[in-house]
Amino acid sequence: MQVKTLILGAGLTGLSTAYHLEQAGETDYLLVEKEAVPGGLCASVQKNGFTYDYGGHLLHLHTPYGKKLVKKLLSKNCALLHRNSWIYTGASRVPYPFQANLWALPAKQRQSCVAEFNHRPVLKNIRTFEQWCLAQFGRGMYEQFFKPYNTKLWGLSPARLTAQWCGPFVPVLSEKELQQSLQKRPRKTYGYNASFYYPKKGGIGALAHALAAKTSHLQLRSPVTAIDLTRKIAVVKGKEIHYRHLVNTLPLDRFICLLKNQKILKKQAKKLKSAGVTLLHLAIARAVEPFSWIYFPEKTVPFYRVGLQSGFSPANAPKGTSLFYIELPGLHKPSASLKKKIWNSLLQKGIINRSDRPVFSAWQHIPAAYAVYDKHRDKTVQTLLTRLRRQDCWCAGRYGRWEYTFMERALLEGKDVAARVKK
Ligand SMILES: Cc1cc2nc3c(=O)[nH]c(=O)nc-3n(C[C@H](O)[C@H](O)[C@H](O)COP(=O)(O)OP(=O)(O)OC[C@H]3O[C@@H](n4cnc5c(N)ncnc54)[C@H](O)[C@@H]3O)c2cc1C
């Protein structure tokens, strides 16, 4: 078989690439996906009347084109929601973001945050996330929230992470705003996720299905198992496909493992590190007070975030029930003892109560959920992408480019790579 463009992976990036190629009149492409459904991490699972995603998957749309495309695809199946999130630290419940809600801390912790903020270091050559936090917020906020939460999530101390990823994700406050945050809840909302869109029905997978419906050459249940960049041949489902351009959206490290020869690339790819996530979806037979998601920086709590899937859309769970998604750092084998530990922590934090009974549960694993921004990441990724580009291979998406981004970027990168390939 012969195609002009072969796209690997029908997550949002691959689907968007195919969609934009077709919109531009390019139909000589093939999009291959190993799973039976399209969407990758933007797929949803429907079971026993419950709909759940791969953890919270909310649409943060910040560009006019991103908004226009999602609205075109989802049409009326789209709701605008507003964040209602907080952080549990010790006995305190601090609205998110922490740095804008110091008023919610006990007096002693609040004073330590302010004193350290007033004496925060002026750092010129910021290399690590730790240095960035200290320079922006001071040691008080760093020790109380940023350090424990990020160590838990990334599995690495912020002293060993770079600050490359944090720009869009960690809101920075002015001196005046921080002083105001000591007094009362701010009126202003902070952060990229203060409001978000979510499908009214079908979970986030509705977006992937809408894109897939406009993609003529999608082949499901078709894993790519080997790639020869020199001869421009990929083996998909045991058959050779000759291509002119290759678009990769698979995790960069796994993609490089599939390459024939390419010793230099394989050696470089060993430097890429990722953090896995285990998810427990758990439903109880009671409608809880609505919230979006809650952060848990403490080491003693097994999860780092809990969200209310049934809060994003009533269609996600049967009436009178609540469906939570519980995100644990790292990959854990599902077990009754782990479930019990999670249940007890939910009880202790007041998310559920003693009379609650589970009515549904399901586990999920995301092996490479977060590309780790350690000191090797930037140079390694740059080298790999440049070398691959020379061999007519374009990498796109959160995993293809080994970056920390969200779904809107996947849609935009797909558009961008389609335009480049067409050129
Ligand atoms: C825990 C978590 C929470 C998140 N929350 C949000 C959020 O709230 N909002 C947001 O905007 N973003 C969120 N994201 C990010 C979002 O999931 C990604 O940005 C986006 O889904 C990436 O899409 P992608 O197509 O680039 O990658 P993927 O979705 O990973 O797609 C890659 C595809 O390649 C396929 N594949 C793999 N190997 C092969 C093979 N050998 N052959 C063929 N196909 C293969 C996979 O099955 C998959 O379908 C979150 C991510 C995580 C991990």
Side-chain angles (χ1 to χ4, degrees):
M1 187 183 178
Q2 209 148 11
V3 283
K4 185 171 168 196
T5 308
L6 178 63
I7 310 164
L8 307 180
L12 224 45
T13 309
L15 286 167
S16 171
T17 309
Y19 170 84
H20 286 99
L21 278 176
E22 265 193 62
Q23 294 289 305
E26 276 288 326
T27 50
D28 190 1
Y29 74 87
L30 179 66
L31 169 59
V32 294
E33 165 59 48
K34 74 173 162 68
E35 300 295 338
V37 286
L41 287 185
C42 178
S44 300
V45 180
Q46 270 142 18
K47 233 183 205 173
N48 302 359
F50 293 95
T51 300
Y52 53 91
D53 306 330
Y54 283 83
H57 264 78
L58 299 323
L59 280 158
H60 314 297
L61 303 173
H62 299 293
T63 65
Y65 184 76
K67 254 184 213 165
K68 193 174 131 193
L69 178 61
V70 168
K71 288 193 172 165
K72 182 176 166 191
L73 290 166
L74 289 177
S75 181
K76 288 191 177 140
N77 186 21
C78 189
L80 174 64
L81 303 166
H82 302 284
R83 181 185 67 207
N84 173 18
S85 292
W86 60 89
I87 298 145
Y88 269 120
T89 157
S92 316
R93 180 180 145 157
V94 182
Y96 178 86
F98 186 87
Q99 59 274 36
N101 289 286
L102 299 180
W103 60 270
L105 287 169
K108 205 173 153 199
Q109 280 164 264
R110 195 166 59 229
Q111 277 150 16
S112 140
C113 286
V114 186
E116 297 282 358
F117 176 76
N118 290 335
H119 292 101
R120 65 195 187 280
V122 179
L123 298 170
K124 279 198 184 126
N125 187 12
I126 292 180
R127 286 191 313 276
T128 68
F129 181 51
E130 179 181 65
Q131 290 168 336
W132 186 85
C133 288
L134 292 176
Q136 295 293 346
F137 308 115
R139 189 164 286 281
M141 284 181 253
Y142 175 66
E143 293 289 345
Q144 286 182 49
F145 174 63
F146 292 102
K147 184 178 175 184
Y149 182 73
N150 285 286
T151 307
K152 196 170 177 181
L153 173 72
W154 297 95
L156 207 66
S157 152
R160 294 178 59 203
L161 291 169
T162 69
Q164 283 299 325
W165 58 274
C166 60
F169 296 98
V170 188
V172 170
L173 272 66
S174 69
E175 192 120 13
K176 191 174 158 207
E177 289 173 321
L178 196 113
Q179 297 303 339
Q180 282 169 351
S181 111
L182 294 167
Q183 315 296 329
K184 57 179 191 297
R185 194 182 194 121
R187 276 211 197 139
K188 179 180 161 181
T189 53
Y190 292 90
Y192 76 105
N193 56 7
S195 52
F196 48 89
Y197 295 88
Y198 190 80
K200 290 179 186 164
K201 280 187 186 156
I204 195 62
L207 178 63
H209 281 293
L211 260 179
K214 294 186 184 300
T215 306
S216 320
H217 308 293
L218 163 63
Q219 211 174 282
L220 298 169
R221 295 188 185 88
S222 301
V224 55
T225 47
I227 301 152
D228 185 337
L229 289 180
T230 318
R231 293 173 59 219
K232 296 195 173 185
I233 296 173
V235 179
V236 177
K237 242 178 150 180
K239 289 204 179 98
E240 285 193 349
I241 297 180
H242 295 249
Y243 63 83
R244 209 185 308 162
H245 309 291
L246 187 66
V247 176
N248 167 56
T249 74
L250 273 48
L252 192 52
D253 56 348
R254 273 138 232 240
F255 168 73
I256 286 173
C257 283
L258 299 176
L259 300 181
K260 199 171 165 205
N261 303 321
Q262 309 286 348
K263 267 192 193 147
I264 301 173
L265 292 186
K266 286 186 181 176
K267 195 174 164 202
Q268 282 284 327
K270 286 204 174 107
K271 292 186 191 154
L272 299 174
K273 298 278 173 290
S274 59
V277 166
T278 302
L279 288 153
L280 176 65
H281 301 274
L282 183 71
I284 57 167
R286 174 172 64 92
V288 299
E289 275 291 302
F291 68 92
S292 306
W293 56 86
I294 312 168
Y295 300 91
F296 297 87
E298 291 162 300
K299 258 192 203 158
T300 47
V301 178
F303 38 81
Y304 65 88
R305 195 164 51 185
V306 172
L308 188 64
Q309 185 78 46
S310 49
F312 302 142
S313 159
N316 281 346
K319 209 165 182 238
T321 66
S322 300
L323 176 63
F324 303 101
Y325 62 87
I326 299 154
E327 298 177 336
L328 286 78
L331 298 175
H332 304 269
K333 218 172 154 187
S335 70
S337 65
L338 181 56
K339 210 188 255 184
K340 193 165 175 213
K341 203 172 162 193
I342 292 169
W343 183 268
N344 288 341
S345 288
L346 291 172
L347 267 177
Q348 199 214 341
K349 293 291 174 192
I351 316 287
I352 56 173
N353 59 42
R354 297 218 168 267
S355 57
D356 284 326
R357 290 290 163 263
V359 290
F360 172 82
S361 74
W363 295 91
Q364 274 178 332
H365 292 91
I366 311 175
Y370 293 90
V372 172
Y373 281 68
D374 63 8
K375 64 178 178 184
H376 300 296
R377 186 250 164 217
D378 290 3
K379 201 171 163 222
T380 307
V381 172
Q382 202 187 0
T383 309
L384 290 171
L385 297 189
T386 309
R387 282 177 179 268
L388 287 168
R389 193 46 221 99
R390 277 191 214 131
Q391 300 188 72
D392 252 315
C393 171
W394 309 79
C395 288
R398 170 165 163 139
Y399 302 102
R401 298 182 68 83
W402 210 250
E403 54 191 18
Y404 183 18
T405 50
F406 41 93
M407 292 184 285
E408 185 184 41
R409 284 269 344 133
L411 293 171
L412 298 179
E413 283 188 28
K415 176 177 184 272
D416 186 53
V417 81
R420 284 164 192 265
V421 162
K422 186 158 189 284
K423 247 191 204 169

